[in-house]
Amino acid sequence: MKTIISTILISFFFNLLTFSQENNNDQLYTLRGKITGQNSGKVILKYVVSNKYKRDTAILRNGKFIFQGNISEPKAADITMGNDLNTAHIYIEPGEMKISLTKDKFKEFKMTGSKTQDEASEYNLLIAPISKKRDVVFERFDALRDSLSK
């Protein structure tokens, strides 16, 4: 019985220690943004933290908004105004970041302050020629499949 109680207490202690360390690693992020062609509305930022879906909203005033929160490491995020077809896929990380968006053209965003975003953008540029070739192959495959089904 004593061993069981000791095991439970030790497990509780380690879980508490792990939880405490996770929270101590969190740092403040600030994402300041502007949307050209849109002066008001609600901006939505979605990402996952500790296997939990997080959805923040900010009010757009005079074309500007701000998000702040705590994260421990870079996170993939989506920013939208509620229309999933008009979404920017970005990376947020601890620190100060800025993003410029254009109404109905969120995919063409410009962002500074996120090293992870810079690396992702560079990667996307490098694979763009391969992606175009892949898209052509998929289009041909779809056309062939459609013709065979007829």
Side-chain angles (χ1 to χ4, degrees):
M1 181 71 171
K2 207 175 198 185
T3 307
I4 294 172
I5 292 174
S6 296
T7 304
I8 291 172
L9 288 175
I10 290 171
S11 294
F12 177 76
F13 174 74
F14 281 117
N15 285 336
L16 188 60
L17 183 63
T18 302
F19 178 76
S20 168
Q21 287 175 344
E22 285 177 10
N23 288 340
N24 288 339
N25 291 333
D26 284 355
Q27 297 174 22
L28 180 67
Y29 78 85
T30 302
L31 177 62
R32 297 178 193 281
K34 70 174 187 169
I35 303 176
T36 302
Q38 181 87 33
N39 289 323
S40 62
K42 189 184 336 180
V43 184
I44 302 165
L45 180 69
K46 300 181 272 186
Y47 56 100
V48 175
V49 175
S50 300
N51 296 324
K52 293 181 184 165
Y53 179 75
K54 181 122 170 122
R55 184 177 189 266
D56 288 338
T57 58
I59 301 299
L60 184 66
R61 290 190 179 98
N62 298 322
K64 296 181 180 179
F65 62 90
I66 186 170
F67 286 103
Q68 287 187 314
N70 292 300
I71 54 177
S72 60
E73 60 190 4
K75 299 287 180 189
D78 290 333
I79 190 165
T80 183
M81 289 193 73
N83 178 355
D84 287 336
L85 298 176
N86 190 35
T87 300
H89 304 290
I90 62 172
Y91 287 91
I92 58 173
E93 60 189 55
E96 292 272 337
M97 297 161 290
K98 292 183 180 178
I99 188 166
S100 296
L101 302 152
T102 302
K103 179 182 179 183
D104 298 328
K105 296 181 183 177
F106 279 23
K107 288 183 185 352
E108 301 171 14
F109 67 92
K110 301 236 185 314
M111 187 170 170
T112 60
S114 170
K115 182 180 176 186
T116 308
Q117 182 62 52
D118 293 343
E119 291 170 350
S121 296
E122 186 176 327
Y123 172 77
N124 289 333
L125 283 174
L126 289 171
I127 67 164
I130 297 167
S131 296
K132 285 181 183 178
K133 288 180 182 179
R134 179 202 61 210
D135 293 345
V136 169
V137 169
F138 283 143
E139 286 173 13
R140 288 181 181 168
F141 175 77
D142 288 342
L144 180 61
R145 186 184 63 213
D146 290 345
S147 69
L148 288 175
S149 68
K150 292 177 184 178

